Every structure is written in C-alpha cells, then in structure tokens.
Amino acid sequence: GLAVRMGAGQVLLVLLATCTMTPAKDPLLNICMDAKHHKVKPGPEGMLYDQCAPWKDNACCTANTSSEAHKDQSNLYNFNWNHCGVMPPKCKRHFVQDTCLYECSPNLGPWINQVDSSWRRERILHVPLCKEDCEEWWEDCKDYVTCKENWHKGWNWATGTNRCPWGSMCRPFSHVFPRPKDLCEKIWSNSYKYTTEHRGSGRCIQMWFDPAQGNPNVVVAKYYAWKKRSSPAWVENTTPETDKAVHSLPWTLLVLLSLALV
C-alpha cells in the first residue's frame, strides 16, 4: 500500500502534518478521578507540601490536601495509621507517598474505574507499581504491626476513626503480608498491581520520583492508554464520541514510532 511505497520518514511527516490539523484530547491522559478531594482537572499547585511536592507542576490535589496527607490523624478520611501502636516514620513515609500519588497524580487515567461508593464515584484498579517502590514499602514496614489485610473496609468506626475490628489481633506486617506483592495488591483492595518492571522502564508507575528529572509517569500512562485502546474490549465499548479520540492520528504516530525503534 501507500505506506510501503513511501518511505517511513515520509509517512511520519504526512502524519505529523495531519496531526496538527486534528488535535484530540485523550480521555485517558492528564485527568483527575472523580473522588472525594480531587480537583476537577489537573493544573499547577506551587504550594504542595513536602512529599506531595513532586506533583506541583501539574496536580490533581490542592495544597490543603497535600498538607493533610502527612498527618497521623488526617481530616482526609479520618484514618488512623497508628491502629496497632505507633507506625515507624520509615514505614509511614510510604503511606504518605501512596496518598500523595493517589490524590495528586494526573497520570492514573488508564486505571480509573467507576465505583458505587458514598464518598467517591471513581477509583483506581491494578495500577502497575514499579518493583522497587513495592519492595521498599514492604521492607520498611515489615516490622510494623496491623490487624487487617484490607485497609479499605471492615474497620470498627464506632468512635469516628478506624479501630481494629472486634476479635482481630495485631500481627507483624510480615505475617499479614508475607511478600511485597501481598502488601501492594491487598492493602487497598487491588488498587495496585505488583510488577517486575523497574523504575525508569516506562512500563510501571513510580510512587517515588525526582521532579527535577520530570514526571516519569507521563510516559507510562501514554503507553498503557495505547495498550488499553488496542484491546478488543475497549473497541467494543467505544461510543461515537470517544471513537474520534480512539482513532486520532497521534496514536497511529506513536505506533509507527514504536515500530521504528524496535
């Protein structure tokens, strides 16, 4: 066909020229989920606090949310980290970072799912977490104690904050979560998925990153958005409105570029 007769470079030039004429906003990229504290759309937030600061150039969270994320008894969800004794700082920093990623990241679109909940309409599911992020989280928390495997539900909320349910015992993390995979996948009911992909691979979401190097999760979201769009299920469920975005040329360009790099 035409693509074969023309050189690859010419095809890319034609596509680039056409792309500039038909810009399409991708429904899976640079978005905020519809949840309790999220902004309607991402944007700069210069005053993000401490561990949430990496997202300050483009965030789904406000400065107040970022500050609350660091408190032992946060107003965000009235959740008490110290339900089985005081959580060590080296462990708590991972839960703070996890909260910052959840509240602030505009790069979780490919994993946002509808949910019927009193406090949010959307959640994340199976976000592929980088191997190092998951394993360091487990390593730094393995000696802390908890009474539950799934922290999303089943607590005793009689006092207005989470307490261990009646009859449960406080046990070391390493017993409740024998492997890093158990911690990352079970603690927030499959919000995360453990992967063997490494930081910087472009194939896994990083909870921890140096903003001076840019946000590595932008590329990851693009890759998984393209993958999701290529799946039969996505094509079957496509409405005429999203169809324009599905078949927009920038993605054709990405596919060609990826083939050219192989």
Side-chain angles (χ1 to χ4, degrees):
L2 176 65
V4 176
R5 292 197 301 274
M6 294 169 67
Q10 288 172 289
V11 173
L12 286 177
L13 281 172
V14 170
L15 283 169
L16 274 169
T18 323
C19 285
T20 56
M21 293 185 288
T22 57
K25 181 178 177 351
D26 193 296
L28 297 177
L29 299 177
N30 196 38
I31 58 167
C32 301
M33 73 184 97
D34 185 354
K36 192 173 182 182
H37 301 290
H38 288 70
K39 296 181 347 189
V40 176
K41 58 183 180 181
E45 287 285 339
M47 300 300 289
L48 290 192
Y49 184 72
D50 200 9
Q51 284 178 235
C52 294
W55 287 273
K56 68 182 173 60
D57 291 338
N58 194 32
C60 286
C61 62
T62 62
N64 182 58
T65 297
S66 72
S67 173
E68 287 291 330
H70 291 73
K71 295 180 181 175
D72 278 339
Q73 189 65 58
S74 166
N75 287 330
L76 294 179
Y77 305 101
N78 291 325
F79 196 88
N80 177 22
W81 303 122
N82 305 320
H83 51 267
C84 275
V86 178
M87 181 183 278
K90 71 174 183 177
C91 174
K92 188 190 168 199
R93 69 191 190 100
H94 291 279
F95 283 96
V96 170
Q97 196 72 4
D98 155 57
T99 305
C100 287
L101 175 72
Y102 171 79
E103 300 289 352
C104 303
S105 177
N107 312 120
L108 301 175
W111 305 281
I112 290 176
N113 283 259
Q114 303 294 313
V115 66
D116 184 17
S117 166
S118 60
W119 54 282
R120 60 180 180 179
R121 294 173 63 184
E122 291 180 333
R123 65 161 294 187
I124 47 172
L125 199 60
H126 305 308
V127 173
L129 204 57
C130 294
K131 179 181 169 73
E132 296 92 339
D133 290 59
C134 186
E135 292 183 352
E136 286 170 18
W137 189 357
W138 185 85
E139 188 63 37
D140 286 344
C141 291
K142 67 176 191 230
D143 298 326
Y144 176 56
V145 285
T146 185
C147 53
K148 281 180 57 50
E149 185 182 71
N150 186 340
W151 287 16
H152 256 156
K153 55 188 180 182
W155 296 98
N156 171 8
W157 287 95
T159 59
T161 186
N162 56 304
R163 296 260 182 106
C164 291
W166 299 112
S168 63
M169 282 175 53
C170 290
R171 297 183 296 142
F173 252 52
S174 54
H175 292 189
V176 180
F177 307 107
R179 302 165 300 165
K181 177 182 166 74
D182 298 313
L183 168 63
C184 294
E185 295 187 353
K186 293 177 179 177
I187 198 159
W188 299 127
S189 48
N190 298 113
S191 290
Y192 294 122
K193 178 182 171 189
Y194 174 79
T195 74
T196 53
E197 302 287 356
H198 294 279
R199 286 178 193 161
S201 64
R203 297 290 181 268
C204 59
I205 290 290
Q206 293 178 213
M207 283 203 316
W208 299 89
F209 63 89
D210 177 3
Q213 311 291 319
N215 182 344
N217 296 331
V218 174
V219 171
V220 181
K222 283 181 180 175
Y223 170 74
Y224 282 96
W226 168 72
K227 252 185 103 168
K228 187 171 184 175
R229 192 165 285 104
S230 308
S231 72
W234 173 272
V235 175
E236 277 174 32
N237 295 327
T238 299
T239 61
E241 291 78 34
T242 54
D243 198 53
K244 292 171 193 166
V246 172
H247 294 106
S248 60
L249 281 166
W251 290 105
T252 320
L253 182 61
L254 272 178
V255 174
L256 280 169
L257 284 171
S258 65
L259 289 173
L261 292 171
V262 171

